[in-house]
Amino acid sequence: MALIVQKYGGTSVGSVERIQAVAQRVYKTVKAGNSIVVVVSAMGKTTDGLVKLATEISPNPNRREMDMLLSTGEQVTIALLSMALQELGQPAISMTGAQVGIVTEAEHSRARILHIETTRLTRHINAGKVVVVAGFQGISSVGEMEITTLGRGGSDTSAVAIAAALKANFCEIYTDVPGILTTDPRLVAEAQLMDAISCDEMLELASLGAKVLHPRAVEIARNYGVPLVVRSSWTDQPGTWVTSAKPQGRSLINLEIARPVDAVEFDTDQAKVALLRVPDKPGIAARLFGEISRQRVDVDLIIQSVHEGNSNDIAFTVTRPVLRRAEAVATAIAPALRSQSNPKLEEAEVMVEHNIAKVSIAGAGMIGRPGVAAKMFATLAEAGVNIQMISTSEVKVSCVVDAAECDRAVTALCTAFEIKVGDKGTRGQGGQGRIIEKTSPLSPHSPLSALSSSSFPVRGVALDLNQARLAIRQLPDRPGMAAKLFGLLAQHNISVDMIIQSQRCRVIDGVPRRDIAFTVSRIDGENAREMLTQVAAELGWDEVVLDSAIAKVSIVGAGMLGQPGVAAKMFEALAQQQINIQMIATSEIKISCVVAQEQGVKALQAIHAAFELAGSEKFFVPV
């Protein structure tokens, strides 16, 4: 007999008929010999209706009262579903987040779960009842009795957290699609259903706008080894399993606010090639990386900065053994990249740096925490380590530094993030290492978590139309500037996604300067611009430029490791559609490009087709 947690979203319980259908599914699962906890969302558009009522009363409603109001939506659903189960002869009891014992931070509208008191929940399960729990909500503490909500995707988070606390066999997420698809079926009707995906890949897709699972829910599943399966509540299809290696004995106290960083990684077997002043037009990246791919040169990080005038800088890192081939390709192609529209433009310059290292912090707990990257940058600044390149993802922040400063950087980061030496990777021929906490999940590179076949290196394509880009011109290039910049953003609770530091350096009044660009949620764009403009004179940078008309299109797949042609194929797909790439940032399992907002959907469709991800079946998504 299995203990299963099931979660049903708003569309799955959007009417009396749908609630009765859910009750039938739950009843069937119980009769098969399982114990069930059901977590539900508010019916249909109930939450939207409650928000509308609040804004009719007040243009800026109090957050505490909003939590009190919004928590009522789920309470309607749990009572109705319990009644429906009882009508079928199945004992059931409805419970709010507070009654279940979901204890959270005292942060209204965006609380994180601290722990779950499972005594009452377990008693009802042992009595043979189906416990129907209100998702999306908790209580700040037993003493204060303040109702809190968990923010967007809160019911997913509630379900996976309960599964972790109960040590459930698995957690089923029922939604309006048949599982995890290769892209949004509303944009590509032939999106293909995946049988399985790793938590690391799912974290990237969820953070990039795939709405089937919230990143916080995937984060908990990854940290606590909860097997997840995403299924349609309309059919009996098997769905998609989201799997992770099971961690060793992680505490359930401070469930969502435990240490955000699990590991510090380093790689001294790196070299950097940069092309400065390449034309800012479609096809340039495709041409460069197409030739690199033909020479079988595997690239690690790829960075394309924000354009300046009619040109861009593109930099990439490779392992030292293939540096000569990479440099030869870049040197050969540079003269051909002279701008056709402006022959007087300086020829693209190739810059090579041999003595560099990559240091990274990794951990699923850094999701949605703006201070983590800032703390990394501040730590490196205090250690006197200057940052040459930055690459970010949801579960990792990587910095390229001088190789001579690698040991100092790693030691400082381990101290700052309280990483005890539970397993220290030795410097072998590759010059790589990983220092992890003893209770850390396995590395994303573990065979247990790498579900992607190398023959299918890309698992999914995602589009984010809700980002804005800020570019800061002429930032002083010295240790501590990135820490100050992103520390300010963290103080204002602004999360940053892509971070690109220009490779082009200017010396103005004796001070070396570079541009730096980054993306944030569009809703934070104007506030970030105003705040950074106000401190520009004090901190010594020039203008702050905001562009809200952008889209970010990304490919994700653990199988792209060691596959030189993946980036080239993505860039070529965009070039064939005459879509200009404005920025590029990569991690080990993700490549993201910023393009013009009006070209976002076309970019996604072109990339999805290029990697032949379409299936033969068209999926209908209920309204």
Side-chain angles (χ1 to χ4, degrees):
M1 181 173 70
L3 173 57
I4 304 170
V5 177
Q6 296 183 341
K7 179 262 176 176
Y8 294 90
T11 54
S12 300
V13 291
S15 66
V16 168
E17 293 74 24
R18 289 303 310 151
I19 289 173
Q20 289 171 331
V22 166
Q24 289 284 355
R25 186 184 291 271
V26 173
Y27 181 68
K28 181 179 177 181
T29 307
V30 174
K31 289 305 176 186
N34 302 296
S35 297
I36 306 293
V37 175
V38 181
V39 178
V40 293
S41 300
M43 295 174 65
K45 300 292 184 181
T46 299
T47 302
D48 292 341
L50 293 172
V51 170
K52 185 175 184 295
L53 285 174
T55 54
E56 289 175 359
I57 295 292
S58 169
N60 187 27
N62 178 275
R63 283 168 55 192
R64 178 192 182 276
E65 303 309 328
M66 281 300 291
D67 276 3
M68 188 69 74
L69 175 67
L70 297 182
S71 65
T72 64
E74 281 71 21
Q75 291 178 44
V76 172
T77 316
I78 60 174
L80 292 174
L81 180 55
S82 293
M83 293 175 193
L85 285 165
Q86 290 163 9
E87 284 297 304
L88 295 173
Q90 172 59 48
I93 184 170
S94 61
M95 298 178 73
T96 67
Q99 289 173 320
V100 166
I102 299 177
V103 180
T104 74
E105 301 172 298
E107 281 284 342
H108 289 292
S109 79
R110 58 185 180 207
R112 286 181 178 264
I113 298 172
L114 299 179
H115 63 277
I116 300 176
E117 301 283 356
T118 60
T119 305
R120 189 176 181 187
L121 194 55
T122 303
R123 187 172 70 247
H124 287 303
I125 293 170
N126 291 339
K129 297 177 184 176
V130 171
V131 184
V132 185
V133 180
F136 176 66
Q137 62 182 251
I139 188 169
S140 62
S141 73
V142 176
E144 294 178 5
M145 302 292 287
E146 286 290 318
I147 292 175
T148 55
T149 62
L150 309 181
R152 190 176 70 83
S155 292
D156 286 353
T157 305
S158 300
V160 182
I162 289 171
L166 290 173
K167 296 182 172 56
N169 294 84
F170 54 90
C171 179
E172 298 177 315
I173 305 293
Y174 284 95
T175 182
D176 53 6
V177 291
I180 310 298
L181 302 172
T182 51
T183 195
D184 187 341
R186 298 170 183 85
L187 301 178
V188 179
E190 297 81 11
Q192 190 172 176
L193 180 67
M194 290 181 256
D195 294 329
I197 188 170
S198 71
C199 267
D200 295 297
E201 292 169 319
M202 191 64 239
L203 270 172
E204 296 286 8
L205 287 172
S207 69
L208 292 167
K211 297 176 181 177
V212 118
L213 273 176
H214 194 273
R216 281 171 62 185
V218 185
E219 172 192 356
I220 297 169
R222 181 183 187 269
N223 284 344
Y224 292 93
V226 178
L228 273 179
V229 60
V230 179
R231 292 177 172 148
S232 170
S233 59
W234 271 261
T235 72
D236 291 322
Q237 289 180 292
T240 304
W241 284 92
V242 183
T243 64
S244 61
K246 189 173 180 63
Q248 301 170 5
R250 193 177 185 115
S251 173
L252 287 162
I253 303 299
N254 293 332
L255 193 145
E256 273 202 283
I257 63 167
R259 182 182 289 114
V261 173
D262 292 311
V264 175
E265 301 173 357
F266 60 90
D267 185 353
T268 56
D269 188 32
Q270 294 253 317
K272 180 176 72 173
V273 180
L275 275 80
L276 309 185
R277 297 182 296 277
V278 299
D280 180 37
K281 63 180 183 180
I284 296 299
R287 191 171 180 181
L288 170 61
F289 289 99
E291 187 58 37
I292 286 173
S293 171
R294 282 187 285 275
Q295 297 299 321
R296 303 302 298 170
V297 174
D298 194 16
V299 173
D300 185 3
L301 302 181
I302 303 173
I303 300 293
Q304 179 180 305
S305 63
V306 64
H307 71 88
E308 181 175 344
N310 295 317
S311 68
N312 264 326
D313 302 335
I314 300 179
F316 57 94
T317 63
V318 295
T319 57
R320 289 182 183 176
V322 299
L323 174 60
R324 286 190 177 181
R325 272 188 287 157
E327 183 179 359
V329 171
T331 302
I333 204 170
L337 298 182
R338 186 189 300 273
S339 173
Q340 300 299 315
S341 59
N342 186 2
K344 295 181 180 180
L345 189 72
E346 290 184 79
E347 185 174 302
E349 175 188 351
V350 179
M351 182 174 67
V352 177
E353 291 193 34
H354 299 77
N355 299 314
I356 65 166
K358 182 177 70 172
V359 293
S360 310
I361 56 172
M366 64 178 67
I367 294 173
R369 299 183 192 182
V372 177
K375 184 175 181 178
M376 180 186 190
F377 303 151
T379 299
L380 294 177
E382 289 168 7
V385 176
N386 197 36
I387 300 170
Q388 299 180 24
M389 293 172 70
I390 300 168
S391 179
T392 59
S393 79
E394 277 299 302
V395 295
K396 182 177 285 191
V397 181
S398 298
C399 295
V400 170
V401 302
D402 191 278
E405 298 176 336
C406 180
D407 284 346
R408 189 162 76 248
V410 169
T411 300
L413 290 171
C414 285
T415 301
F417 290 103
E418 300 177 355
I419 301 298
K420 299 174 184 177
V421 184
D423 174 27
K424 185 170 182 178
T426 57
R427 290 175 189 263
Q429 185 177 2
Q432 298 180 353
R434 177 175 173 85
I435 301 170
I436 65 173
E437 188 66 14
K438 287 184 180 179
T439 58
S440 167
L442 293 183
S443 163
H445 308 301
S446 162
L448 292 174
S449 65
L451 297 176
S452 306
S453 165
S454 60
S455 60
F456 298 99
V458 174
R459 308 301 312 284
V461 186
L463 176 66
D464 190 344
L465 293 168
N466 296 309
Q467 292 217 328
R469 180 183 63 217
L470 290 114
I472 299 180
R473 301 295 187 182
Q474 299 178 16
L475 191 83
D477 183 29
R478 56 173 178 256
M481 289 309 299
K484 289 180 180 177
L485 167 59
F486 295 105
L488 281 169
L489 293 168
Q491 289 172 20
H492 288 77
N493 202 34
I494 296 174
S495 292
V496 176
D497 185 12
M498 296 172 66
I499 303 174
I500 310 293
Q501 183 171 270
S502 172
Q503 296 304 295
R504 204 178 312 184
C505 184
R506 288 189 179 81
V507 178
I508 301 175
D509 297 328
V511 178
R513 296 175 180 274
R514 297 182 192 270
D515 295 344
I516 194 165
F518 53 92
T519 60
V520 299
S521 173
R522 187 173 298 160
I523 197 171
D524 291 326
E526 186 56 42
N527 288 340
R529 188 196 67 78
E530 290 180 7
M531 182 266 293
L532 294 174
T533 300
Q534 288 171 4
V535 299
E538 176 188 348
L539 294 179
W541 57 61
D542 201 353
E543 64 176 333
V544 180
V545 181
L546 172 66
D547 184 357
S548 296
I550 65 165
K552 183 178 73 173
V553 62
S554 308
I555 58 174
V556 172
M560 67 175 66
L561 285 165
Q563 298 285 314
V566 173
K569 182 178 284 190
M570 179 182 187
F571 302 153
E572 178 60 30
L574 296 176
Q576 288 178 359
Q577 298 296 319
Q578 288 298 299
I579 297 173
N580 194 36
I581 301 172
Q582 300 180 18
M583 291 169 66
I584 302 170
T586 67
S587 72
E588 284 88 344
I589 64 170
K590 179 182 73 173
I591 302 173
S592 293
C593 296
V594 168
V595 300
Q597 184 181 32
E598 67 270 14
Q599 295 181 311
V601 173
K602 184 166 72 170
L604 176 139
Q605 292 169 340
I607 293 167
H608 194 270
F611 285 100
E612 300 178 353
L613 295 177
S616 57
E617 183 179 357
K618 292 187 178 182
F619 292 103
F620 169 71
V621 180
V623 178

